[in-house]
Amino acid sequence: MNTFAELLDRLAYEPGRNNKLRLIADYLRTTPDPERGFALAALTGALSFQHAKAGVIRALIAERTDPVLFELSYDYVGDLSETVALMWPADPAKRPNAVPSLSEVIETLATLGKAQLPAQLARWLDALDETGRWALLKLVTGGLRIGVSARLAKTAAASLGNKEPNDIEILWPGLAPPYTELFAWLEGRAEKPISLDSAPFRPAMLAHAIEDSDFASLDPAAFTAEWKWDGIRIQAVTGTADDGQAVTRLYSRTGEDITKAFPDLADALRLPGAIDGELLIVRDRRVQSFNVLQQRLNRKAVTGKLLADFPAHLRAYDLLVDGTEDLRALPFAERRKRLQAFIEKLNSERVDLSPLVPFDTWEALAAARADPATAGAGTDADAIEGIMLKRRDALYLPGRPKGLWWKWKRDPLVVDAVLMYAQRGHGKRSSYYSDYTFGVWTTGESGDELVPVGKAYFGFTDEELHRIDRFIRNNTIERFGPVREVTHEPDRGLVFEVAFEGLQRSTRHKSGLAMRFPRISRLRWDKPPREADRLETLQIILEKIEAGRSGTSPAVAEN
Amino acid sequence: MNSKAVGLKAMRPEDLLTPTPSGVCCRTGGFHIDPTRPVDKAVITHGHSDHARPGHGAVLATEETLDLMRLRYGDNFAGSTQVAKPGEPLTMGDVTVTFHPAGHVLGSAQIAVEHGGLRIVASGDYKDAPDPTCAPFELVPCDVFITEATFGLPVFRHGDASGEIARLLHSVAVFPERAHLVGAYSLGKAQRVIALIRQAGYDRPIYLHGALETITRYYQQRGIDLGVLKPARGADKAELAGAIALCPPSSLQDLWTRRFPDPVPCFASGWMRVRARARQRGVELPLVISDHADWDGLTATITATGASEIWVTHGQEDALVHWSRLRGLKARPLAIVGYGDEDENDGTAAGAGGAS
Ligand SMILES: [Zn+2]
Ligand SMILES: [Zn+2]
């Protein structure tokens, strides 16, 4: 436990993604099984046990310390787990001779009754040092916040065997802690584990943002077009378990299992297969805007009322697996036919086909994009953010292969930017951090860094403001008077979709440009900061505006 | 000196040593201890800037403290000086003054003041943990103990400094192409950290920020072996890959760090025990190494002195006063202004400073 604690401690302070990777890889390389496997489980959020409530921790410390000294200490430190970890009276006479391993802690917690928890915790706390106690308390209270995504931890594990993170991602749903067969494979001591999961994730195919200059070299006849829906890209997989039961899982674009949040949709997917599509909220047959979907995403508890008020829907655009047949090596046009048949057979109100947008020329498609409502989208037009172009002969390839899938976003000028600094608002908002400075990526002296490009004060609801405010308070890394610097790392931070009216050159800003009337058009809690836009994207927009072509829809790249 | 003999005493403790906002004053002996404003005669516990200030008429201190004040303030830092030898009583007016090692930094001393069977010990800053760069803390039984309380909260437990050095060296092994910059107070902490790194078997050159050079050289002149040290100035980036370099804490964030390849900012301080403090300073590898007693050290020392009355000078007075009272001791905070603000004046310009 102490070496794992040491790793967590170090990760909590290390801002660099690559350095975090190396710290985790170093730990995994030098720590034996099964300890490292449980550590990987803790880092990827793969552990499940009843978390201890803060009240349990308070009661334990109250039995052992003077209340005045505790309050003075808590006041100074500001974090309950940390205060208790530091002031826990480690009586050498009571200290057990063995420090508990992480494996022992996790295996014990999995079966421990609620009534036995306090005494067991106390025994462990007696045996650990300050950092060990801190890590233990963070683990048992479910408060491990060290800025490491599951993806990062898997990437570190993959590096042990020079494998790609996607290799692990594909195996992952079939693996369980402590992952000894995974490490054996990574270290070249055993064959690749067979994925036993009946509903595994398959790495997603992503699109490039199209530029006006790209069209000249593209043949309209080689492509089909669909609306680009403004929801969440998901992969819905149904398989058959060993016992014959159907298993359905919903995955985010990066392979995160989000099934629990959408039981209404999962229940509707009864046919074995894997659909790639957009998760949307549909009320009275009408697709709701992303803001409505956001309201469902904001709620933690999935209640009956939530399911009734925000019915989840899947708009399908690709089929990766039909029954048990893998379709990914077929051309898109073939897959589309199979998808159509699959959706008909599924025959569910919750799942439908994303319609094609007919066109012969790019001009015709540009017209449809400019006015989706009259081009066939009707009342769903509000939920459309552009056009997707897919080559008819494109195989389904993971990652972002060049030239096969393109996205062509609609006008208002928008970029995805990362929150960097926050300042208290005025008047009614003076108790909230409501003024935000955001930045986009650029190449700096030591790799990619964020450069501020603007400030926004509005564009969000009060409810969203509360949530952003909470995020800021929990992720402050530095204070300068009324301003807080907020965590903005590739894997940790908050992405805003920022809409703006124009761009101007500016020598006052480090970025060299200034946004006109920026506003937050959407909160992207789902998006890791590394996928926010780059400064080059803004520079391209700026050049187009200066060339007098601002009306011709600058294509805004998502990284 | 036993408190049972109180009836025989001609003097109350406050008459022997009177607390004032600028330090404790001994009227009978005609001196102040660690005064924060210029006085005729100052008795000084150690060389940190919040305790040892220039401009006094006469200064009584250990040889090392006087040398360090001279290095920092120049030859005319006081009207006259007198060397105090640890363990040798001196008579000043009607009182006897004796210096005893405090284990804080080189030359640091506690000061015992006695008169008519009453003994008060002013600790200055102290630690009861081993330190290869200074004489160990000596326990002095007394009636009244004036203790510091820099780390006077039960959350401060400093642990074993060699374990922190092991963490530093592990990080150097994991990141052999990055430089590790250790922020350390220029008087005491920097030299102790170097000595601990050497004890751990690391024998490559260690690089120093210019502000640490003078005092470090003085430590070496006093016979403390610190191995091969090089100035960071003039070293090229390639040479600094994988190196350990020490600098004043305030330099961790400044332009000076640009000469290092992908530096890992480390900070050796007792404050690093609390995460918010470490994060506030942008530290990536906090090293809990302190030259002050931790909570366990403070409370054990208070008990061991046998003192029945505790005066608490600087730091977290409230908690230590509360703890003392819970144990039936008479206790009071002394509101002396100007001690322990080492964060603000870590003396990068002048070379010496307060410590924690
Ligand atoms: Zn000091
Ligand atoms: Zn001090």
Side-chain angles (χ1 to χ4, degrees), chain A residues 505-550:
Chain A
R505 289 192 190 272
S506 163
T507 48
R508 282 189 303 118
H509 297 86
K510 193 182 161 199
S511 63
L513 43 83
M515 275 184 180
R516 292 186 58 229
F517 305 111
R519 59 194 179 274
I520 310 290
S521 59
R522 194 203 286 185
L523 305 176
R524 296 300 304 256
W525 297 103
D526 58 315
K527 193 162 204 174
R530 65 171 61 259
E531 292 186 28
D533 281 302
R534 301 190 63 85
L535 187 58
E536 293 89 285
T537 303
L538 284 171
Q539 283 158 347
I540 290 169
I541 298 174
L542 178 63
E543 280 159 22
K544 288 183 178 174
I545 291 172
E546 287 179 337
R549 293 194 292 140
S550 62

Side-chain angles (χ1 to χ4, degrees), chain A residues 6 8-10 12-15 18-20 22-23 26 66 68-70 72-74 76-77 82-83 85-90 130-131 133-134 445 476-478, chain B residues 153-157 167 170-171 174-178 180 258 262 264 271-281 283-286 295 316 318-319 322-323 326:
Chain A
E6 193 58 50
L8 289 188
D9 184 54
R10 187 70 202 271
Y13 289 112
E14 173 59 61
N18 284 336
N19 293 329
K20 281 180 176 162
R22 286 171 61 184
L23 288 166
D26 172 65
D66 174 77
V68 175
L69 293 178
F70 172 76
L72 286 169
S73 298
Y74 187 20
Y76 184 86
V77 175
E82 189 181 344
T83 310
L86 293 178
M87 75 181 296
W88 186 264
E130 280 82 359
T131 309
R133 290 193 291 260
W134 166 78
E445 274 177 20
T476 299
I477 48 179
E478 189 91 71
Chain B
L153 275 176
V155 291
F156 290 111
R157 290 219 187 86
R167 294 174 58 233
H170 177 246
S171 182
V174 175
F175 297 111
E177 79 293 0
R178 304 176 74 186
H180 283 68
R258 293 234 179 132
D262 192 12
V264 182
W271 297 116
M272 293 299 102
R273 191 43 108 188
V274 172
R275 279 156 202 286
R277 291 292 292 252
R279 250 181 263 119
Q280 190 183 27
R281 302 207 62 143
V283 172
E284 288 171 28
L285 184 62
W295 175 260
Q316 307 282 340
D318 294 355
H322 175 78
W323 179 91
L326 281 179

Side-chain angles (χ1 to χ4, degrees), chain B residues 46 48 50-51 104-105 125 292 342 353-355:
Chain B
H46 68 288
H48 279 145
D50 49 335
H51 294 259
H104 174 53
V105 296
D125 292 336
H292 294 264
E342 44 260 321

Side-chain angles (χ1 to χ4, degrees), chain A residues 36 84 164 193 307 330 357 375 389 427 457 496 543:
Chain A
R36 59 179 171 176
V84 173
E164 290 299 315
L307 296 180
L330 296 181
V357 181
L389 281 171
Y457 318 91
F496 290 145
E543 280 159 22

Side-chain angles (χ1 to χ4, degrees), chain A residues 464-535:
Chain A
E464 285 169 339
L465 171 63
H466 295 176
R467 193 155 170 228
I468 304 171
D469 184 74
R470 203 159 48 229
F471 176 86
I472 289 162
R473 290 171 197 273
N474 289 335
N475 291 279
T476 299
I477 48 179
E478 189 91 71
R479 295 177 194 206
F480 316 91
V483 178
R484 290 188 179 209
E485 183 174 1
V486 185
T487 305
H488 47 85
E489 297 161 21
D491 286 300
R492 201 163 151 234
L494 177 55
V495 177
F496 290 145
E497 185 186 81
V498 178
F500 53 96
E501 298 301 323
L503 283 175
Q504 289 164 331
R505 289 192 190 272
S506 163
T507 48
R508 282 189 303 118
H509 297 86
K510 193 182 161 199
S511 63
L513 43 83
M515 275 184 180
R516 292 186 58 229
F517 305 111
R519 59 194 179 274
I520 310 290
S521 59
R522 194 203 286 185
L523 305 176
R524 296 300 304 256
W525 297 103
D526 58 315
K527 193 162 204 174
R530 65 171 61 259
E531 292 186 28
D533 281 302
R534 301 190 63 85
L535 187 58

Side-chain angles (χ1 to χ4, degrees), chain A residues 105-132:
Chain A
V105 168
I106 287 172
E107 285 169 343
T108 307
L109 285 173
T111 55
L112 196 68
K114 219 177 179 178
Q116 298 137 306
L117 181 64
Q120 178 61 69
L121 268 183
R123 276 195 296 279
W124 284 333
L125 291 168
D126 283 339
L128 290 165
D129 65 12
E130 280 82 359
T131 309

